[in-house]
Amino acid sequence: MSAQSEHEGHLPSFGPNEWLVDEIYQQYLTDPKQVDEAWWDFFADYMPTEHSGIELTEAALAAHEAARVEAQAAEIAQDATSAAHEAPHTISAPSLSSAPAPTAPAAPTTTPAAPAPAAAEVVLLKGPAARVVSNMEASLALPTATSVRAVPVKLLIDNRIVINNHLARARGGKVSFTHLIGWAMVRALKAMPEMNWAYTELDGKPAIQHNERVNLGLAIDLAKPDGSRQLLVPNIKNADQLDFATFWSTYEELVRKARHNKLGPDDFAGTTISLTNPGTIGTVHSVPRLLPGQGAILGVGAMDYPAEWQGASIDTLAKQAISKIVTLTSTYDHRIIQGAQSGEFLRIIHGLLLGENDFYDDVFAALHIPYEPIRWAADITTSHDADLDKTARVQELIHAFRVRGHLMADTDPLDYTQRQHSDLELASHGLTLWDLDREFPTGGFSAKSFMRLRDILGVLRDAYCRTIGIEYMHMQDPEQREWIQERVERKYDKPARDEQLRILRRLNAAEAFETFLQTKYVGQKRFSLEGAESVIPLMDAVISAAARAGMDEACIGMPHRGRLNVLANIAGKSYGQIFREFEGDFEVEGSVQGSG
């Protein structure tokens, strides 16, 4: 097989990205150093197809051969390879040629001739634009059909808020709706692997290609410097073998590489099914084109309230339990997939987005979120009297968090578990996720008369269920309880950068001191603080706050554990004095039973 025919056989695996291959190849012919090294081996014997719009003249062929030789030389010379790797990776704009149509001569007349109409300009499509044409024409050969399903996204929105609030306090980053819908798509493919298959031919006869793994293509729309837009579809390899945390990080890495022009051939090859999200630009419903080599593509529309409710107020929408919806479309190859299968595929995704089969539990576990997700439930019908009953139930919920919230606190850094307590669940108090956006009288809670239940829960969880637990409702004095509530029942505010740096410096000082003692004085009694270094920034914050409050003196009752670290980093005893005492140089005169 010739090099040209071999590559022509492999090009369909790039699907809608073939135009990008041609564009990068055109740039490679001009100057290989402007192309990422990952493409050099691929282009060494590459010949474009007739649909690429690239004209291989004798000069172009000579340039191709020169580029191939230069690429081989670059592999031998390390310095040249490094220079090529660090060179800017840009994508050239498509080349266009134009030829204005001739203007017909005006007929002779005795009166002044009217000006001839401007001739329409005809532009020949080349490069990426020509590749788009060939891809769309190829897609016409596929007999496709489309299934459509509207899915309520109230639960998806609420659980995403919980996820991102936790990430903001912990590892950082954000989970998007597309991350979660894409993951539901992967989970659904495990239940219906036939949606991941593709039509092919074997010895000229129709056949089905059973893809063992899910390589999920992600449609990424990017703006080019000239204002035009380009669509890239890299894929997540073996997505069905990942957990959600790895799927999320891989997704974000592909987007980052796409934005910085760092995608290579392997990122595009082997896509088995694709996900596109035109909803980000407001498109409610789409029927994307399906290209050869894939059996289906999922389209995600915009998330919005049903059209008939879009004039209603937020308060009315909350009271009437109206959810935003998203329209999902499954466009499939009708030769190997039937309408009932496509509809069942969308039904499975629908159920997963409503929390079936522990969908959100698994997402929370993969991200190590120590709480159970919000559950789907039908709204509880209320009348005027029932509204008063719900207000009382919200007060019960507030009291339950004050009494038992510490039982949900995430206080074990060594073991992960999803914590739950029935007294702290909405369902135990006759409340559902539909109540989260409804306002209730608080009875003075958090110094506000009315708050949304979502905000009430946010304050309660920040106060009692994060990394510090507090139990005080056994106190008999109401003023003492109220004093504590005023100070702990506040919405979480992330520390300022200066405060974070101060905490980091105190932690570093505590760790460095322990490491030095362990290295220098092996086997000697040093009252190790290891495992509890956070006590140093904690004591620093408490004593600093006491000083700002005007207190004259702080008396520390110190246990054996960590006493040397506290002496050095809190009490201000010099390192030199502590180390001399390890060597036996200490004064005992005037002390009680030694130096301590």
Side-chain angles (χ1 to χ4, degrees), residues 425-537:
E425 295 177 0
L426 293 178
S428 300
H429 298 275
L431 302 168
T432 67
L433 77 163
W434 302 102
D435 296 306
L436 292 174
D437 291 310
R438 295 168 179 165
E439 286 194 339
F440 296 94
T442 64
F445 168 78
S446 195
K448 293 185 178 180
S449 300
F450 286 84
M451 292 178 67
R452 293 189 306 168
L453 180 57
R454 180 192 310 283
D455 297 329
I456 291 174
L457 285 174
V459 172
L460 290 172
R461 287 170 175 163
D462 284 344
Y464 303 110
C465 304
R466 301 306 180 193
T467 54
I468 296 178
I470 179 172
E471 184 179 9
Y472 64 93
M473 289 298 286
H474 60 280
M475 294 180 178
Q476 301 301 310
D477 189 341
E479 292 185 1
Q480 293 179 358
R481 297 198 301 268
E482 291 175 3
W483 187 91
I484 294 177
Q485 289 166 8
E486 290 174 359
R487 285 155 179 79
V488 302
E489 291 179 351
R490 298 179 179 178
K491 190 170 181 61
Y492 171 78
D493 291 321
K494 191 172 183 177
R497 176 175 173 79
D498 290 343
E499 180 64 17
Q500 290 179 323
L501 291 175
R502 179 182 176 88
I503 294 172
L504 179 61
R505 285 193 292 268
R506 306 307 289 174
L507 286 171
N508 284 340
E511 172 65 21
F513 183 77
E514 294 295 336
T515 301
F516 181 83
L517 291 183
Q518 170 64 18
T519 305
K520 184 68 174 178
Y521 303 103
V522 178
Q524 296 194 42
K525 185 180 292 185
R526 55 191 179 89
F527 310 108
S528 171
L529 187 65
E530 290 175 314
E533 288 83 1
S534 58
V535 76
I536 297 300

Side-chain angles (χ1 to χ4, degrees), residues 408-419:
M408 284 262 288
D410 182 22
T411 55
D412 187 351
L414 302 179
D415 185 34
Y416 166 74
T417 180
Q418 282 190 359
R419 292 166 170 78

Side-chain angles (χ1 to χ4, degrees), residues 88-106:
H89 181 178
T90 59
I91 300 179
S92 60
S95 59
L96 301 174
S97 64
S98 60
T103 304

Side-chain angles (χ1 to χ4, degrees), residues 259-536:
R259 288 175 177 168
H260 293 85
N261 294 329
K262 295 297 183 183
L263 293 170
D266 291 341
D267 295 316
F268 296 118
T271 302
T272 60
I273 192 169
S274 297
L275 171 67
T276 182
N277 187 4
T280 56
I281 56 175
T283 301
V284 176
H285 178 125
S286 70
V287 183
R289 301 301 307 175
L290 186 66
L291 295 180
Q294 300 180 36
I297 181 172
L298 184 75
V300 181
M303 293 183 183
D304 206 345
Y305 291 103
E308 60 271 23
W309 286 96
Q310 291 182 10
S313 67
I314 296 298
D315 185 59
T316 299
L317 292 169
K319 287 182 177 179
Q320 297 297 324
I322 305 301
S323 170
K324 288 184 176 182
I325 62 171
V326 62
T327 302
L328 303 180
T329 60
S330 169
T331 300
Y332 55 95
D333 189 333
H334 217 331
R335 294 171 295 186
I336 60 172
I337 298 173
Q338 301 306 309
Q341 293 172 297
S342 178
E344 178 68 8
F345 180 59
L346 291 181
R347 187 197 68 78
I348 295 174
I349 295 177
H350 185 152
L352 291 171
L353 295 178
L354 295 189
E356 293 181 4
N357 297 321
D358 297 327
F359 177 74
Y360 292 108
D361 296 80
D362 293 341
V363 170
F364 277 45
L367 297 175
H368 282 196
I369 299 177
Y371 314 108
E372 288 194 338
I374 299 172
R375 307 296 183 187
W376 175 262
D379 187 28
I380 298 176
T381 304
T382 63
S383 62
H384 178 70
D385 293 337
D387 286 340
L388 298 177
D389 181 58
K390 276 198 173 184
T391 298
R393 292 178 179 275
V394 171
Q395 292 301 316
E396 289 178 359
L397 182 64
I398 294 173
H399 181 76
F401 270 90
R402 288 169 173 170
V403 175
R404 283 175 280 280
H406 65 280
L407 299 177
M408 284 262 288
D410 182 22
T411 55
D412 187 351
L414 302 179
D415 185 34
Y416 166 74
T417 180
Q418 282 190 359
R419 292 166 170 78
Q420 64 88 28
H421 195 287
S422 59
D423 286 350
L424 306 180
E425 295 177 0
L426 293 178
S428 300
H429 298 275
L431 302 168
T432 67
L433 77 163
W434 302 102
D435 296 306
L436 292 174
D437 291 310
R438 295 168 179 165
E439 286 194 339
F440 296 94
T442 64
F445 168 78
S446 195
K448 293 185 178 180
S449 300
F450 286 84
M451 292 178 67
R452 293 189 306 168
L453 180 57
R454 180 192 310 283
D455 297 329
I456 291 174
L457 285 174
V459 172
L460 290 172
R461 287 170 175 163
D462 284 344
Y464 303 110
C465 304
R466 301 306 180 193
T467 54
I468 296 178
I470 179 172
E471 184 179 9
Y472 64 93
M473 289 298 286
H474 60 280
M475 294 180 178
Q476 301 301 310
D477 189 341
E479 292 185 1
Q480 293 179 358
R481 297 198 301 268
E482 291 175 3
W483 187 91
I484 294 177
Q485 289 166 8
E486 290 174 359
R487 285 155 179 79
V488 302
E489 291 179 351
R490 298 179 179 178
K491 190 170 181 61
Y492 171 78
D493 291 321
K494 191 172 183 177
R497 176 175 173 79
D498 290 343
E499 180 64 17
Q500 290 179 323
L501 291 175
R502 179 182 176 88
I503 294 172
L504 179 61
R505 285 193 292 268
R506 306 307 289 174
L507 286 171
N508 284 340
E511 172 65 21
F513 183 77
E514 294 295 336
T515 301
F516 181 83
L517 291 183
Q518 170 64 18
T519 305
K520 184 68 174 178
Y521 303 103
V522 178
Q524 296 194 42
K525 185 180 292 185
R526 55 191 179 89
F527 310 108
S528 171
L529 187 65
E530 290 175 314
E533 288 83 1
S534 58
V535 76
I536 297 300

Side-chain angles (χ1 to χ4, degrees), residues 573 576-588 595:
K573 187 170 183 177
Q577 180 63 27
I578 294 175
F579 299 151
R580 284 196 298 271
E581 291 178 1
F582 266 100
E583 303 294 342
D585 180 12
F586 53 84
E587 298 290 341
V588 296
S595 70

